[in-house]
Short mmCIF file of all heavy atoms in Angstrom, two decimals:
data_model
loop_
_atom_site.label_atom_id
_atom_site.label_comp_id
_atom_site.label_asym_id
_atom_site.label_seq_id
_atom_site.Cartn_x
_atom_site.Cartn_y
_atom_site.Cartn_z
N HIS A 366 133.16 182.18 63.12
CA HIS A 366 132.62 180.92 62.89
C HIS A 366 131.11 180.99 62.72
O HIS A 366 130.57 180.36 61.76
CB HIS A 366 132.80 179.97 64.14
CG HIS A 366 131.81 178.95 64.36
ND1 HIS A 366 131.78 177.78 63.65
CD2 HIS A 366 130.72 178.87 65.27
CE1 HIS A 366 130.69 177.09 64.05
NE2 HIS A 366 130.06 177.70 64.92
N ALA A 367 130.42 181.80 63.56
CA ALA A 367 128.94 181.89 63.40
C ALA A 367 128.50 182.45 62.04
O ALA A 367 127.55 182.05 61.47
CB ALA A 367 128.45 182.78 64.55
N ARG A 368 129.33 183.46 61.60
CA ARG A 368 129.05 184.09 60.39
C ARG A 368 129.11 183.10 59.20
O ARG A 368 128.25 183.07 58.29
CB ARG A 368 129.91 185.25 60.09
CG ARG A 368 129.54 186.21 58.88
CD ARG A 368 130.23 187.45 59.01
NE ARG A 368 129.72 188.27 60.07
CZ ARG A 368 128.57 189.03 60.03
NH1 ARG A 368 127.90 189.01 58.90
NH2 ARG A 368 128.19 189.72 61.03
N VAL A 369 130.09 182.21 59.21
CA VAL A 369 130.25 181.24 58.15
C VAL A 369 129.12 180.16 58.34
O VAL A 369 128.55 179.69 57.26
CB VAL A 369 131.65 180.54 58.27
CG1 VAL A 369 131.71 179.31 57.43
CG2 VAL A 369 132.73 181.61 57.86
N TYR A 370 128.78 179.74 59.51
CA TYR A 370 127.68 178.89 59.72
C TYR A 370 126.40 179.43 59.05
O TYR A 370 125.66 178.75 58.30
CB TYR A 370 127.41 178.65 61.17
CG TYR A 370 126.24 177.66 61.41
CD1 TYR A 370 126.42 176.34 61.46
CD2 TYR A 370 124.94 178.17 61.66
CE1 TYR A 370 125.29 175.46 61.67
CE2 TYR A 370 123.85 177.39 61.80
CZ TYR A 370 123.99 176.07 61.89
OH TYR A 370 122.92 175.30 62.14
N HIS A 371 126.11 180.66 59.37
CA HIS A 371 124.84 181.33 58.79
C HIS A 371 124.89 181.45 57.34
O HIS A 371 123.91 181.29 56.69
CB HIS A 371 124.61 182.64 59.49
CG HIS A 371 124.12 182.50 60.95
ND1 HIS A 371 123.01 181.92 61.37
CD2 HIS A 371 124.72 182.97 62.06
CE1 HIS A 371 122.79 181.92 62.55
NE2 HIS A 371 123.93 182.51 63.11
N LEU A 372 126.10 181.73 56.85
CA LEU A 372 126.28 181.83 55.33
C LEU A 372 125.88 180.46 54.69
O LEU A 372 125.09 180.40 53.73
CB LEU A 372 127.68 182.16 54.95
CG LEU A 372 128.07 182.04 53.50
CD1 LEU A 372 127.31 183.04 52.61
CD2 LEU A 372 129.65 182.19 53.30
N TYR A 373 126.47 179.36 55.21
CA TYR A 373 126.20 178.05 54.75
C TYR A 373 124.69 177.77 54.89
O TYR A 373 124.06 177.17 53.91
CB TYR A 373 126.97 176.95 55.35
CG TYR A 373 126.89 175.68 54.77
CD1 TYR A 373 127.67 175.35 53.61
CD2 TYR A 373 126.08 174.67 55.35
CE1 TYR A 373 127.53 174.08 53.05
CE2 TYR A 373 125.89 173.41 54.69
CZ TYR A 373 126.69 173.14 53.52
OH TYR A 373 126.58 171.91 52.99
N ASN A 374 124.17 178.03 56.09
CA ASN A 374 122.82 177.70 56.34
C ASN A 374 121.77 178.33 55.45
O ASN A 374 120.78 177.77 54.97
CB ASN A 374 122.48 177.99 57.83
CG ASN A 374 121.38 177.22 58.40
OD1 ASN A 374 121.21 175.93 58.20
ND2 ASN A 374 120.46 177.85 59.21
N SER A 375 122.00 179.71 55.18
CA SER A 375 121.07 180.46 54.38
C SER A 375 121.31 180.33 52.91
O SER A 375 120.30 180.50 52.12
CB SER A 375 121.20 181.87 54.83
OG SER A 375 122.45 182.47 54.52
N THR A 376 122.45 180.06 52.40
CA THR A 376 122.87 180.15 51.05
C THR A 376 123.08 178.83 50.38
O THR A 376 122.84 178.59 49.16
CB THR A 376 123.96 181.16 50.79
OG1 THR A 376 123.69 182.42 51.39
CG2 THR A 376 124.20 181.36 49.28
N PHE A 377 123.71 177.93 51.12
CA PHE A 377 124.26 176.69 50.51
C PHE A 377 123.64 175.40 51.03
O PHE A 377 123.66 174.31 50.25
CB PHE A 377 125.79 176.63 50.67
CG PHE A 377 126.51 177.69 50.00
CD1 PHE A 377 126.86 178.81 50.68
CD2 PHE A 377 126.82 177.65 48.60
CE1 PHE A 377 127.55 179.94 50.09
CE2 PHE A 377 127.50 178.69 47.98
CZ PHE A 377 127.89 179.84 48.72
N ARG A 378 123.12 175.38 52.18
CA ARG A 378 122.72 174.14 52.71
C ARG A 378 121.55 173.47 51.93
O ARG A 378 121.66 172.20 51.64
CB ARG A 378 122.20 174.22 54.13
CG ARG A 378 121.97 172.90 54.89
CD ARG A 378 121.25 173.10 56.21
NE ARG A 378 122.07 173.77 57.17
CZ ARG A 378 122.92 173.17 58.01
NH1 ARG A 378 123.12 171.93 57.97
NH2 ARG A 378 123.56 173.95 58.97
N GLN A 379 120.58 174.10 51.47
CA GLN A 379 119.47 173.54 50.70
C GLN A 379 119.93 172.83 49.47
O GLN A 379 119.46 171.74 49.18
CB GLN A 379 118.40 174.58 50.44
CG GLN A 379 117.15 173.96 49.79
CD GLN A 379 116.07 175.01 49.56
OE1 GLN A 379 116.26 176.23 49.98
NE2 GLN A 379 114.99 174.61 49.03
N SER A 380 120.83 173.42 48.72
CA SER A 380 121.33 172.77 47.46
C SER A 380 122.48 171.79 47.70
O SER A 380 122.47 170.74 47.03
CB SER A 380 121.77 173.90 46.52
OG SER A 380 122.85 174.56 47.14
N GLN A 381 123.29 172.10 48.63
CA GLN A 381 124.45 171.18 48.82
C GLN A 381 124.23 170.07 49.93
O GLN A 381 124.95 169.05 49.94
CB GLN A 381 125.68 172.02 49.27
CG GLN A 381 126.14 173.02 48.19
CD GLN A 381 127.36 173.79 48.47
OE1 GLN A 381 127.93 173.70 49.51
NE2 GLN A 381 127.80 174.59 47.54
N LYS A 382 123.27 170.30 50.82
CA LYS A 382 122.79 169.25 51.76
C LYS A 382 123.97 168.64 52.59
O LYS A 382 124.05 167.49 52.72
CB LYS A 382 122.03 168.13 50.96
CG LYS A 382 120.94 168.61 50.10
CD LYS A 382 120.10 167.46 49.49
CE LYS A 382 119.11 168.04 48.53
NZ LYS A 382 118.27 169.11 49.00
N GLY A 383 124.68 169.52 53.13
CA GLY A 383 125.86 169.12 54.02
C GLY A 383 125.63 169.56 55.48
O GLY A 383 124.55 170.06 55.82
N GLN A 384 126.66 169.37 56.21
CA GLN A 384 126.67 169.75 57.61
C GLN A 384 127.90 170.60 57.89
O GLN A 384 128.95 170.50 57.18
CB GLN A 384 126.79 168.48 58.55
CG GLN A 384 125.48 167.69 58.64
CD GLN A 384 125.62 166.53 59.65
OE1 GLN A 384 126.48 165.56 59.40
NE2 GLN A 384 124.92 166.58 60.73
N ILE A 385 127.77 171.48 58.96
CA ILE A 385 128.91 172.29 59.27
C ILE A 385 129.03 172.57 60.74
O ILE A 385 127.86 172.68 61.43
CB ILE A 385 128.71 173.70 58.46
CG1 ILE A 385 129.98 174.56 58.72
CG2 ILE A 385 127.46 174.38 58.88
CD1 ILE A 385 130.08 175.70 57.69
N GLY A 386 130.15 172.62 61.29
CA GLY A 386 130.28 172.87 62.73
C GLY A 386 131.72 173.22 63.06
O GLY A 386 132.59 173.23 62.20
N ILE A 387 132.01 173.45 64.33
CA ILE A 387 133.35 173.82 64.92
C ILE A 387 133.90 172.59 65.54
O ILE A 387 133.26 171.64 65.91
CB ILE A 387 133.18 175.02 65.83
CG1 ILE A 387 134.49 175.69 65.99
CG2 ILE A 387 132.57 174.60 67.13
CD1 ILE A 387 134.38 177.09 66.63
N ASN A 388 135.28 172.64 65.71
CA ASN A 388 135.95 171.54 66.29
C ASN A 388 136.83 171.96 67.36
O ASN A 388 137.73 172.89 67.19
CB ASN A 388 136.75 170.83 65.21
CG ASN A 388 137.43 169.51 65.72
OD1 ASN A 388 136.82 168.78 66.33
ND2 ASN A 388 138.68 169.33 65.35
N THR A 389 136.61 171.56 68.58
CA THR A 389 137.38 172.02 69.75
C THR A 389 138.14 170.86 70.42
O THR A 389 137.73 169.76 70.49
CB THR A 389 136.39 172.64 70.71
OG1 THR A 389 137.04 173.26 71.83
CG2 THR A 389 135.39 171.68 71.31
N GLU A 390 139.40 171.19 70.86
CA GLU A 390 140.15 170.26 71.69
C GLU A 390 139.59 170.29 73.10
O GLU A 390 139.42 171.33 73.66
CB GLU A 390 141.62 170.58 71.67
CG GLU A 390 142.37 169.49 72.48
CD GLU A 390 143.92 169.77 72.55
OE1 GLU A 390 144.36 170.81 72.04
OE2 GLU A 390 144.59 168.87 73.10
N VAL A 391 139.40 169.09 73.60
CA VAL A 391 138.87 169.03 75.00
C VAL A 391 139.75 168.01 75.75
O VAL A 391 139.82 166.85 75.50
CB VAL A 391 137.38 168.45 75.01
CG1 VAL A 391 136.94 168.47 76.49
CG2 VAL A 391 136.52 169.41 74.18
N THR A 392 140.42 168.55 76.82
CA THR A 392 141.17 167.72 77.72
C THR A 392 140.29 167.42 78.89
O THR A 392 139.48 168.23 79.25
CB THR A 392 142.47 168.50 78.20
OG1 THR A 392 143.29 168.79 77.07
CG2 THR A 392 143.20 167.78 79.23
N TRP A 393 140.45 166.16 79.41
CA TRP A 393 139.66 165.85 80.64
C TRP A 393 140.52 166.30 81.82
O TRP A 393 141.66 165.86 82.01
CB TRP A 393 139.36 164.41 80.74
CG TRP A 393 138.60 164.00 81.97
CD1 TRP A 393 138.99 163.32 83.03
CD2 TRP A 393 137.22 164.50 82.24
NE1 TRP A 393 138.01 163.28 84.00
CE2 TRP A 393 136.94 163.96 83.59
CE3 TRP A 393 136.28 165.26 81.51
CZ2 TRP A 393 135.68 164.21 84.15
CZ3 TRP A 393 135.04 165.51 82.17
CH2 TRP A 393 134.76 164.89 83.48
N PHE A 394 139.90 167.11 82.75
CA PHE A 394 140.62 167.50 83.91
C PHE A 394 140.04 166.77 85.11
O PHE A 394 138.86 166.98 85.50
CB PHE A 394 140.46 169.10 84.10
CG PHE A 394 141.09 169.79 82.92
CD1 PHE A 394 140.20 170.37 81.97
CD2 PHE A 394 142.37 169.87 82.77
CE1 PHE A 394 140.74 171.11 80.89
CE2 PHE A 394 142.95 170.52 81.69
CZ PHE A 394 142.06 171.13 80.75
N GLU A 395 140.92 166.00 85.73
CA GLU A 395 140.45 165.20 86.90
C GLU A 395 141.05 165.90 88.15
O GLU A 395 142.15 166.34 88.20
CB GLU A 395 141.06 163.82 86.77
CG GLU A 395 140.58 162.84 87.87
CD GLU A 395 139.20 162.31 87.62
OE1 GLU A 395 138.55 162.62 86.51
OE2 GLU A 395 138.67 161.71 88.50
N PRO A 396 140.24 166.04 89.21
CA PRO A 396 140.71 166.66 90.47
C PRO A 396 141.86 165.84 91.02
O PRO A 396 141.83 164.64 91.02
CB PRO A 396 139.53 166.62 91.38
CG PRO A 396 138.33 166.39 90.42
CD PRO A 396 138.85 165.67 89.32
N ALA A 397 142.89 166.46 91.57
CA ALA A 397 144.02 165.73 92.09
C ALA A 397 143.68 164.92 93.29
O ALA A 397 144.22 163.89 93.58
CB ALA A 397 145.16 166.74 92.42
N THR A 398 142.61 165.46 94.05
CA THR A 398 142.10 164.65 95.20
C THR A 398 140.58 164.96 95.19
O THR A 398 140.06 165.55 94.33
CB THR A 398 142.66 165.20 96.54
OG1 THR A 398 142.06 166.53 96.79
CG2 THR A 398 144.17 165.22 96.52
N ASN A 399 139.92 164.28 96.12
CA ASN A 399 138.42 164.50 96.29
C ASN A 399 138.06 165.80 97.01
O ASN A 399 136.87 165.97 97.39
CB ASN A 399 137.81 163.29 96.86
CG ASN A 399 137.79 162.16 96.00
OD1 ASN A 399 137.58 162.26 94.80
ND2 ASN A 399 137.91 160.94 96.56
N SER A 400 138.98 166.66 97.29
CA SER A 400 138.76 167.84 98.05
C SER A 400 137.87 168.79 97.19
O SER A 400 137.92 168.81 95.99
CB SER A 400 140.02 168.60 98.39
OG SER A 400 140.57 169.12 97.29
N THR A 401 137.10 169.62 97.92
CA THR A 401 136.21 170.55 97.25
C THR A 401 137.03 171.52 96.41
O THR A 401 136.64 171.88 95.27
CB THR A 401 135.41 171.45 98.32
OG1 THR A 401 134.67 170.54 99.14
CG2 THR A 401 134.45 172.48 97.63
N ALA A 402 138.26 171.92 96.95
CA ALA A 402 139.04 172.88 96.23
C ALA A 402 139.57 172.27 94.86
O ALA A 402 139.59 172.99 93.86
CB ALA A 402 140.25 173.29 97.06
N ASP A 403 139.94 171.04 94.94
CA ASP A 403 140.50 170.41 93.67
C ASP A 403 139.36 170.18 92.70
O ASP A 403 139.56 170.35 91.41
CB ASP A 403 141.18 169.04 94.06
CG ASP A 403 142.54 169.28 94.74
OD1 ASP A 403 142.90 170.39 94.88
OD2 ASP A 403 143.18 168.30 95.06
N LYS A 404 138.21 169.85 93.19
CA LYS A 404 137.07 169.64 92.28
C LYS A 404 136.69 170.94 91.58
O LYS A 404 136.41 171.02 90.37
CB LYS A 404 135.85 169.10 93.00
CG LYS A 404 136.03 167.61 93.42
CD LYS A 404 134.83 167.19 94.24
CE LYS A 404 134.97 165.71 94.66
NZ LYS A 404 133.83 165.21 95.50
#
Side-chain angles (χ1 to χ4, degrees):
H366 153 77
R368 189 164 291 278
V369 169
Y370 177 90
H371 288 298
L372 169 68
Y373 187 81
N374 204 41
S375 63
T376 307
F377 296 97
R378 190 189 295 273
Q379 185 174 359
S380 61
Q381 297 184 356
K382 304 185 187 312
Q384 292 183 289
I385 186 167
I387 199 166
N388 188 41
T389 184
E390 181 182 4
V391 184
T392 298
W393 179 251
F394 299 106
E395 189 74 11
T398 70
N399 285 325
S400 71
T401 301
D403 287 0
K404 290 177 180 177

